[in-house]
């Protein structure tokens, strides 16, 4: 039995209303190595540069920190935006490709980390405003430690509960779904009804095998409020330049097939500046046109504004102002009326008037 939250701390159910027409504008604004150094200055500087307020602001909450990002969430809400949190069961040093750590799916399902989940949920429940939470995103890839691909479960980890064993492909994927459901169930039992659960996949499954589909990981409609996917054009100098159609449309179609009614979000999207390979401004223009005109169930898109240096010394510059052309194209696109900059909230059957969230 999952223990209920503290008396009197259950959050009133206030939700983010998916727009009937158009889609919410959102961004992640280069919040540091752990994606959690959220400052008002960074948000305001980005908005001044692009010329529009962000309805959604994204950041991360890693399990290795063992804390709820209350200051980040409060800051984003005071700014009048809805927080999107990537809640990742990941331990330091937060390097991709290392495989499962102490927050393995087995350990989560066994209840090893229930106390942390409950404490995180209690702090989330302390606010009445909506909080978009993407737990264990991009599980259909092979880079994050919670990816249940077979090579990660060929033998138990030292941190796994007793009796762990090798797993088949169906068993390892089912383990992800069990972990997802356990996290959601515990948060709901603690009164965190203000959390909107975001099932977030990668636009392309790796490895591209018949068993590795988006549908295989879907935990069920009762555990999901928003469907979401992450989709990027070229991110590295050695990457092939992909057209926007191939980046955005196949993933959208596969995700939409999971449920006919859930709103869809591009939880992360972007492209690097590699002029010898392709035209970033043209990619942005085509991609955003497709978002507006060919994805009727897409209700939000979050641009990933970041620059980092890779091990080979080359930079991946996904920032929107990586070139004057990219910035001007983005500004022109988001000036269109389809892009909604103020979140619409709804509580107890009534719409909350527009204005800063949390005031």
């Amino acid at each position: 039995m999952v223990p209920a939250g503290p008396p009197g701390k259950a959050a009133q159910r206030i939700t983010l209303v998916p727009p009937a027409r158009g889609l919410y504008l959102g961004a992640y604004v280069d919040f540091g190595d752990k994606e959690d150094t959220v400052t008002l200055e960074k948000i305001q500087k980005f908005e001044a540069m692009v010329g529009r307020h962000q309805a959604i602001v994204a950041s991360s909450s890693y399990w290795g920190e063992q804390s709820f990002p209350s200051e980040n969430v409060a800051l984003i809400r005071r700014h009048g935006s809805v927080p999107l949190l990537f809640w990742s069961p990941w331990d330091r040093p937060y390097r991709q490709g290392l495989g499962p750590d102490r927050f393995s799916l087995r350990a989560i399902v066994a209840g090893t980390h229930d106390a942390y989940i409950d404490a995180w949920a209690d702090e989330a429940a302390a606010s009445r405003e909506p909080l978009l939470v993407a737990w264990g995103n991009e599980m259909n890839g092979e880079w994050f430690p919670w990816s249940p691909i077979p090579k990660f479960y060929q033998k138990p980890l030292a941190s796994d509960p007793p009796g762990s064993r090798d797993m088949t492909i169906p068993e390892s994927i089912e383990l992800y779904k069990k972990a997802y459901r356990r996290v959601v169930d515990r948060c709901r039992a603690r009164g965190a009804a203000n959390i909107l659960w975001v099932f977030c996949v990668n636009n392309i499954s790796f490895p591209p095998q018949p068993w590795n589909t988006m549908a295989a990981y879907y935990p069920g409609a009762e555990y999901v409020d928003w469907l979401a996917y992450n989709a990027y054009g070229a991110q590295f100098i050695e990457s092939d330049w992909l057209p926007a159609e191939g980046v955005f449309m196949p993933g959208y179609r596969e995700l939409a097939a999971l449920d006919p009614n859930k709103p869809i979000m591009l939880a992360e999207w972007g492209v690097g500046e590699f002029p010898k390979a392709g035209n970033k401004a043209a990619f942005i223009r085509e991609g955003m046109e497709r978002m507006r005109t060919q994805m009727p169930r897409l209700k939000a898109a979050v641009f990933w504004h970041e620059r980092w240096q890779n091990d080979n010394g080359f930079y991946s510059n996904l920032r929107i102002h990586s070139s004057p052309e990219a910035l001007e194209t983005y500004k022109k696109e988001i000036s269109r009326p389809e892009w909604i900059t103020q979140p619409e909230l709804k509580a107890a059957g009534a719409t909350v008037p527009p204005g800063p969230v949390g005031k």
Side-chain angles (χ1 to χ4, degrees):
M1 180 177 178
V2 180
K9 288 193 176 182
Q12 181 184 5
R13 178 68 171 178
I14 296 183
T15 191
L16 175 67
V17 180
R21 295 182 180 180
L23 59 168
Y24 288 125
L25 183 66
Y28 164 82
V29 192
D30 215 346
F31 291 134
D33 291 342
K34 293 186 299 181
E35 302 171 357
D36 63 353
T37 309
V38 178
T39 68
L40 182 60
E41 290 75 17
K42 287 185 177 181
I43 298 172
Q44 290 178 330
K45 183 177 180 180
F46 178 82
E47 291 182 339
M49 179 172 59
V50 301
R52 301 209 76 184
H53 182 264
Q54 304 299 301
I56 297 171
V57 174
S59 61
S60 288
S61 177
Y62 293 154
W63 283 38
E65 302 305 300
Q66 289 292 285
S67 62
F68 179 82
S70 55
E71 292 183 5
N72 293 348
V73 167
L75 185 153
I76 293 168
R77 286 171 171 152
R78 287 196 302 269
H79 182 64
S81 305
V82 172
L84 166 60
L85 276 178
F86 292 94
W87 191 20
S88 301
W90 202 356
D91 202 8
R92 298 183 182 187
Y94 309 128
R95 290 184 62 87
Q96 297 183 17
L98 298 181
D101 50 39
R102 65 183 173 121
F103 303 118
S104 70
L105 296 176
R106 285 192 180 105
I108 294 170
V109 170
T112 305
H113 304 292
D114 283 353
Y116 163 69
I117 296 169
D118 293 349
W120 199 95
D122 287 346
E123 292 203 51
S127 170
R128 62 184 290 273
E129 293 91 2
L131 177 63
L132 294 159
V133 175
W135 184 85
N137 77 120
E138 296 185 4
M139 79 301 294
N140 59 326
E142 55 186 6
W143 39 87
F144 288 135
W146 55 86
S147 300
I149 60 176
K151 72 177 183 180
F152 286 169
Y153 289 88
Q154 291 177 352
K155 61 180 181 179
L157 303 170
S159 60
D160 283 339
S164 298
R165 58 177 178 80
D166 298 354
M167 305 189 81
T168 64
I169 290 173
E171 288 175 326
S172 64
I173 293 178
E174 186 61 31
L175 192 66
Y176 173 85
K177 292 190 284 189
K178 287 180 179 178
Y180 185 106
R181 292 171 187 144
R182 186 181 188 91
V183 170
V184 173
D185 283 340
R186 296 198 72 87
C187 288
R188 287 174 173 170
R190 303 297 294 187
N194 56 319
I195 294 179
L196 299 172
W197 294 100
V198 180
F199 175 72
C200 184
V201 299
N202 196 57
N203 64 325
I204 301 173
S205 294
F206 292 98
Q209 298 294 328
W211 53 266
N212 196 22
T213 64
M214 297 177 187
Y217 299 93
Y218 192 50
E222 66 273 27
Y223 287 93
V224 175
D225 295 294
W226 284 69
L227 300 173
Y229 71 118
N230 300 339
Y232 289 94
Q235 296 186 70
F236 309 100
I237 194 169
E238 66 273 15
S239 300
D240 293 333
W241 189 266
L242 302 174
E245 192 281 335
V247 170
F248 296 114
M249 298 309 298
Y252 170 80
R253 297 187 188 105
E254 184 177 354
L255 190 65
L258 298 186
D259 188 289
N261 300 311
K262 303 287 185 187
I264 295 176
M265 174 191 307
L266 255 173
E268 300 179 18
W269 79 274
V271 62
E273 184 76 55
F274 305 111
K276 292 183 179 179
N279 188 312
K280 180 172 180 173
F283 179 95
I284 291 171
R285 183 183 306 109
E286 181 187 351
M288 299 190 80
E289 180 180 359
R290 290 182 183 276
M291 293 175 205
R292 291 185 294 103
T293 64
Q294 298 183 22
M295 305 182 191
R297 288 178 54 196
L298 189 70
K299 301 302 179 180
V302 179
F303 186 85
W304 204 261
H305 177 77
E306 186 179 17
R307 176 180 179 267
W308 68 87
Q309 187 175 20
N310 299 295
D311 292 339
N312 61 8
F314 289 99
Y315 284 87
S316 293
N317 192 351
L318 276 65
R319 290 175 179 166
I320 199 57
H321 63 304
S322 58
S323 67
E325 295 79 12
L327 176 58
E328 289 307 310
T329 298
Y330 186 75
K331 290 172 65 176
K332 181 178 179 180
E333 289 299 321
I334 64 174
S335 70
R336 298 178 186 275
E338 290 89 345
W339 292 99
I340 301 169
T341 62
Q342 293 292 339
E344 181 184 354
L345 308 182
K346 187 175 183 180
T351 300
V352 177
V357 181
K359 292 187 177 180

